Amino acid sequence: MTDAFEPRILAYCCRYCAYAAADLAGSMRLAYPPNVRIVQVPCTGRIDALFLLRAIEAGADGVYVAGCLEGECHFLEGNLRARKRVDFVKGVLGEIGLEPERVEMFNLSSAMGPRFAEIARDMTERIRRLGPSPLRTDDASGETALGRCA
Amino acid sequence: MIVADRKPLAEILSFVASCRRILIVGCKGCVTVCNVGGQKEVEILAASLRMARRLAGDPLEIGEALLERQCDPEYVAELRERVSSCDTVVSMACGVGPQFLAEAFPEQRVVPALNTTFFGGAVRHGVWEERCAGCGHCVLERFDGLCPIARCSKNLLNGPCGGSANGVCEVHPDTVCIWDRIVRRKTARGRLADLKAIVPPKDWRPAGHGGPRRRVREDLTRTS
């Protein structure tokens, strides 16, 4: 079962950096795992702890937030706020008995297509090592629940 | 506002260990303003409890509600139907909320999700500080708007004490010596002489030392 495990990962990407970097990665024909589903956000400052918790509750094996480099946020400090919220959610996961590493914050610029692909690979590998989330449901309802988070 | 902290998840989980179905009730009053018991915090607690119980192989069904205030029977009464269908009600209000809920629904088990801490305000985003101790007889007119009852570790009315050093209280390095502030403010405003008058011992009966307090405004009470 674990051999066939394909992580389901949600990536909340800032439109000014990570989302554009994903676009660049595509233009550069860079391969990255198809396990990552991208959700565009206007700024990672829009990320609420509940977005991450709902994704985990819906059965995502991992969730990450990708924002601008620190000091480069289009809205000045949205990415710094996002990092704090990610840290908060890591704390909640620890409290409920899930690995905090299932949630992560990354920073990159729109010019960093290869870095975007690398993050997607790293996160997929990390989740593959951790194994499926115990909250994951593999039937259609799990897929629908996760789809609602995107 | 009344400021509170959320209890650790493990403690709340222990309160609902034997439950199958609970109702989490938030409050739109003080605890919403201090970001501990409003809509978002209700959703976060519900998601956390649901996930923790699923991981334990013992799923918990959770209803969520948010009242205008939990300290008014009229609003609490709105919950009657929802309360009857659950094992336990978890209140995310200050200590008043669980008591009003338990009073309105005496057959229902009500547990608190918060530890109520103090009367205070937000000094900046995400930081709240104590400003009032609810002592029942305000003395702020004497101290230029700085309360030694709430903000002096010893509640001194004739300070400062010998534990004040460089504007900091000996109790904790993060605690400002409010008497240092009072003296500096009085000095800056040319009113230092005010402090020559010894403040007589305070009557603590209105502070609750004379038993639980009650307020009645006759003109607002109903005649029937």
Side-chain angles (χ1 to χ4, degrees), chain A residues 48-50 53-54 56-59 88 92-93 95-98 134-137, chain B residues 6-10 13 39-40 43-44 46-52 54-55 125:
Chain A
D48 193 293
L50 275 168
L53 283 175
R54 286 200 187 112
I56 292 289
E57 190 180 4
F88 170 80
V92 174
L93 295 194
E95 273 194 307
I96 66 172
L98 263 185
L135 295 168
R136 175 174 169 144
T137 43
Chain B
R6 210 199 72 190
K7 285 177 177 288
L9 192 69
L13 276 168
Q39 176 76 46
K40 190 178 288 185
E43 290 181 38
I44 289 173
S48 306
L49 290 174
R50 263 195 311 267
M51 286 193 280
R54 267 178 69 192
L55 288 169
H125 251 303

Side-chain angles (χ1 to χ4, degrees), chain A residues 54-69:
Chain A
R54 286 200 187 112
I56 292 289
E57 190 180 4
D61 300 300
V63 188
Y64 66 89
V65 178
C68 301
L69 296 169

Side-chain angles (χ1 to χ4, degrees), chain B residues 18-41:
Chain B
S18 58
C19 301
R20 301 264 75 81
R21 194 166 183 203
I22 64 168
L23 179 67
I24 301 179
V25 187
C27 178
K28 287 189 194 172
C30 311
V31 291
T32 287
V33 184
C34 68
N35 303 78
V36 69
Q39 176 76 46
K40 190 178 288 185
E41 291 76 26

Side-chain angles (χ1 to χ4, degrees), chain B residues 78-173:
Chain B
E78 293 169 11
L79 286 178
R80 184 162 300 283
E81 277 185 27
R82 299 190 68 189
V83 158
S84 60
S85 63
C86 64
D87 308 328
T88 289
V89 178
V90 178
S91 168
M92 290 198 87
C94 68
V96 179
Q99 297 189 58
F100 267 61
L101 288 167
E103 212 161 303
F105 313 115
E107 70 291 351
Q108 186 54 264
R109 179 171 175 256
V110 182
V111 297
L114 306 186
N115 292 324
T116 307
T117 49
F118 55 80
F119 303 151
V123 288
R124 56 179 191 273
H125 251 303
V127 182
W128 294 268
E129 282 184 1
E130 186 164 11
R131 286 290 186 273
C132 178
C135 74
H137 188 158
C138 193
V139 292
L140 282 169
E141 79 285 358
R142 283 179 180 270
F143 304 111
D144 286 25
L146 297 163
C147 180
I149 304 293
R151 302 173 71 184
C152 167
S153 301
K154 293 177 176 171
N155 320 120
L156 290 182
L157 287 167
N158 298 283
C161 71
S164 174
N166 303 316
V168 176
C169 173
E170 65 180 344
V171 169
H172 196 276

Side-chain angles (χ1 to χ4, degrees), chain B residues 169-208:
Chain B
C169 173
E170 65 180 344
V171 169
H172 196 276
D174 286 344
T175 304
V176 163
C177 170
I178 202 64
W179 267 102
D180 182 90
R181 291 275 177 92
I182 291 169
V183 170
R184 286 178 198 282
R185 186 171 288 183
K186 289 279 192 192
T187 306
R189 294 178 181 180
R191 292 201 287 264
L192 190 60
D194 292 355
L195 297 180
K196 283 188 176 160
I198 301 295
V199 182
K202 185 174 171 63
D203 178 357
W204 290 98
R205 283 172 298 181

